[in-house]
Amino acid sequence: MFYDKKELGARIKLLRKKHGFTQEQFSEMLNMTVNHLYKIEAGMRNVSIDLLVEIAAHFDTSLDYLVLRKETEIDQQEIRSAITVLSEIVQKK
């Protein structure tokens, strides 16, 4: 298993789009230029560990998922929604 910056960039791009951010919005959140984010997403530029940690925090995912895709990304919002629904069912009983 090897680190592949193109795959990392593709995962970052997928997460960014899934969360509804444009490159402009997300690059602003990360305090970087749009060009820098574009190069990361295209796999043309490596990412520092500090930036990886920040990206993982923004998307509530793990570094394992971002770097190696060792685990599936867990959508925390879906989990919270399921807990809410289950709690309401239990309370009705």
Side-chain angles (χ1 to χ4, degrees), residues 14-90:
L14 177 73
L15 287 167
R16 175 183 59 77
K17 287 184 170 190
K18 181 178 178 183
H19 286 82
F21 299 126
T22 64
Q23 282 187 328
E24 291 80 13
Q25 291 168 324
F26 195 52
S27 63
E28 189 173 306
M29 289 175 180
L30 298 173
N31 198 26
M32 68 171 59
T33 66
V34 174
N35 188 47
H36 186 101
L37 179 59
Y38 167 79
K39 287 181 179 180
I40 290 170
E41 289 184 351
M44 297 187 299
R45 188 168 246 181
N46 282 313
V47 183
S48 72
I49 190 68
D50 291 333
L51 183 56
L52 279 174
V53 169
E54 189 173 352
I55 291 169
H58 272 286
F59 296 131
D60 200 18
T61 193
S62 70
L63 291 176
D64 278 343
Y65 173 76
L66 283 178
V67 177
L68 301 172
R69 195 163 189 177
K70 286 181 80 177
E71 59 187 47
T72 59
E73 184 221 348
I74 299 172
D75 187 339
Q76 295 297 320
Q77 185 59 39
E78 288 180 17
I79 291 172
R80 287 185 196 104
S81 295
I83 290 170
T84 300
V85 168
L86 291 172
S87 295
E88 289 172 358
I89 292 170
V90 169

